[in-house]
Amino acid sequence: MSSVDHFWAVIPAGGAGTRLWPLSRAGAPKFLHDLTGSGRSLLQATVDRLGPLVDDRTVVVTGTAHLPAVARQLPGVAEEYLLAEPTPRDSMAAIGLAAALLERKDPDAVMGSFAADHVIPDGDAFATCVRNAITAAEAGWLVTLGIEPTYAATGFGYIHVGDAMADLPAFHVKEFVEKPSAPVAAQYVASGDYRWNAGMFVVRPTVLLDLLAENDPGFAADLRAIAAGGAEAMARLWPTLPKIALDHAVAEPAASAGRIAVVPGAFDWEDVGDFASLGDLLDPDASGALTVLGDAGLVQSRSSSGLVVTATGRFVAVLGLDDIIIVDTPDALLVAARDHAQDVKAIVNGLKDEGRTDLV
Amino acid sequence: MSSVDHFWAVIPAGGAGTRLWPLSRAGAPKFLHDLTGSGRSLLQATVDRLGPLVDDRTVVVTGTAHLPAVARQLPGVAEEYLLAEPTPRDSMAAIGLAAALLERKDPDAVMGSFAADHVIPDGDAFATCVRNAITAAEAGWLVTLGIEPTYAATGFGYIHVGDAMADLPAFHVKEFVEKPSAPVAAQYVASGDYRWNAGMFVVRPTVLLDLLAENDPGFAADLRAIAAGGAEAMARLWPTLPKIALDHAVAEPAASAGRIAVVPGAFDWEDVGDFASLGDLLDPDASGALTVLGDAGLVQSRSSSGLVVTATGRFVAVLGLDDIIIVDTPDALLVAARDHAQDVKAIVNGLKDEGRTDLV
């Protein structure tokens, strides 16, 4: 399959991944880490996955603090396509900035926005889905990808899928719904009418910005002014942009107005939120063995299961512990029961309160 | 209380402490570590405990490899009293060497032999017991200290106590018995006639060597020849000495012959064998909290109990784990369930088999 002319990948690379501390840090967030043992960080794997569709048309939007690391991880991405957010202003500003720049650079552009920290093992199924989304986006739709649920997840939002379109490989979106309760999630999955919302969008830049302008004309105008005005405009306007997610600023209003399409995808997709889900990702068959992310030769265990992440050269011995999580980094060690994986956030917050910025 | 003229402390500093890996290593065995958080190693604490009885009459016998570390930890012990074993030849050779040297140096000497890696919190009760043992030793007895059992331990040998002596603060020993089964241990403790054998002896050097000579005249003669002949005799004879424990070479035969006395002691005594017993030592009330050996400021925990040993400056977070053992050293990390503390030995043996001498 060849690449798609004028299709651009936009990769917002943000988010701290607090629940993956001490591997993920404010200074080295989740997307910079190889969480799959593939030898590539989540960001690199995202760029790799999109490569066949875009050739070298990849734009990354990240915090200024992470720009050097991103530049080193992605030597194939031109410097002009590595965009720095001076301060975090949520996804509408980040993706809107890329849209405003692409609108000027390539009038025929279609952009696809894909988070830097998702795991999608089946690149071909993903590409097929994106190609369908591009077809719908070229026809003027704001298109979201809807992932087929494999269980009644309560940690994701859902997309309520409507009728199929007559002439496009897509469906109408009835509405976006927030993270549901467990019984509601079960109903969603049983109905077959709901898809997971993975926050992936394909759209012409002008369509995106015009949809934004309908709800917040000043926001869209400022993004276009930054794209036209360069560093001076960025310094002046960026700090004034609203902090709002693209879902709220554009997608939900567009759904209410019947102006958004969804392309179903049946590929595995993981938003690796904490070490419990990372353990599942790395040991999908729940083999009962101890999984190692890093150099497995460093780890010896007896009568144990769970996950060991080795980010140092230290030897690790594990004895008689089931569902254990051990994360070994040079300056901090986490040892947790799997069912306490969420408590990592409390440790990080405690460290922040104590001013231990060196550790968070 | 003043010191006892002519009383010498002999401290055999040997044993690897394999079940305390990775804190204890072949190159830095148990006795060199501060396992109580007192700021003093077990060896230093042993010397401190005996100081009021001996002033500066302390002799340490240790492996050549450990001599520099021992010398640095004990700046108050004269170099001539730091004796090096060229190779390990078990306790009879180590203690017998000290006896042969003291026999020449101080004809009125009484020596007390105390392992370098025991923990005895109540130094006064210990000293009272030793003073009674000295009185019996001055009268020509080989005297052992018998610790009052606090539970039906199966990990120690026992001393079967006989009749009280008429004119000395000591009892006859009926026999030494090996580590008993649990029901037998319970009978021993219930009877009140048995004491733990902590391997502590007080004796005139000449009495000890003469008792040895009755069973192995060549062994005793060689020890005396080494003491008389210096380095040349040591190099020639040491490698030929039998590898045998003092208990088997002297104490058990002497008991059979009715020639050994026991002085009862009621002090707490810990032979810190593994991390489970170290956890008990550091948290005798079983408070249910997480105990930290090292800098407690480095450790944060939630819903956890057990023991964390921090031997690095790293931060350690522990979440949702009861009876956990975490030992954090620069090149190796142990994470174990308390009831698997004994399995540490298997890890160490595995590392030895793999030639990982850097880690053991």
Side-chain angles (χ1 to χ4, degrees), chain B residues 144-337:
Chain B
T144 185
L145 274 54
I147 315 285
E148 187 171 324
T150 53
Y151 66 101
T154 57
F156 310 134
Y158 284 69
I159 303 164
H160 190 177
V161 178
D163 297 333
M165 294 187 174
D167 50 353
L168 290 171
F171 294 74
H172 291 280
V173 170
K174 284 191 175 169
E175 63 172 338
F176 289 92
V177 289
E178 299 282 340
K179 298 174 183 177
S181 63
V184 172
Q187 288 171 19
Y188 286 174
V189 173
S191 75
D193 293 336
Y194 288 80
R195 296 273 169 154
W196 285 338
N197 177 12
M200 297 188 275
F201 291 94
V202 179
V203 66
R204 287 194 185 280
T206 300
V207 170
L208 181 70
L209 293 169
D210 288 351
L211 281 170
L212 174 62
E214 290 182 21
N215 295 291
D216 190 339
F219 195 169
D222 284 348
L223 287 168
R224 283 169 162 144
I226 290 172
E232 182 278 327
M234 174 69 106
R236 181 167 48 84
L237 294 173
W238 185 266
T240 71
L241 297 181
K243 277 191 178 179
I244 186 170
L246 187 145
D247 287 60
H248 300 312
V250 168
E252 288 161 12
S256 302
R259 294 170 62 181
I260 183 162
V262 57
V263 171
F267 48 85
D268 283 343
W269 163 78
E270 297 277 350
D271 176 22
V272 187
D274 59 29
F275 286 111
S277 61
L278 181 59
D280 290 340
L281 176 69
L282 295 174
D283 183 24
D285 304 326
S287 65
L290 192 72
T291 304
V292 177
L293 179 62
D295 181 353
L298 291 172
V299 180
Q300 283 191 15
S301 66
R302 297 167 71 91
S303 311
S304 297
S305 65
L307 173 66
V308 177
V309 181
T310 61
T312 70
R314 301 199 314 160
F315 179 80
V316 180
V318 189
L319 301 177
L321 292 162
D322 276 318
D323 289 327
I324 191 77
I325 293 166
I326 300 171
V327 184
D328 186 41
T329 77
D331 60 351
L333 168 67
L334 170 70
V335 182

Side-chain angles (χ1 to χ4, degrees), chain B residues 111-163:
Chain B
M111 61 184 272
S113 173
F114 307 98
D117 54 5
H118 293 172
V119 175
I120 300 172
D122 186 347
D124 289 342
F126 170 75
T128 299
C129 183
V130 173
R131 284 175 193 274
N132 288 336
I134 293 168
T135 301
E138 285 171 336
W141 288 90
L142 171 60
V143 188
T144 185
L145 274 54
I147 315 285
E148 187 171 324
T150 53
Y151 66 101
T154 57
F156 310 134
Y158 284 69
I159 303 164
H160 190 177
V161 178
D163 297 333

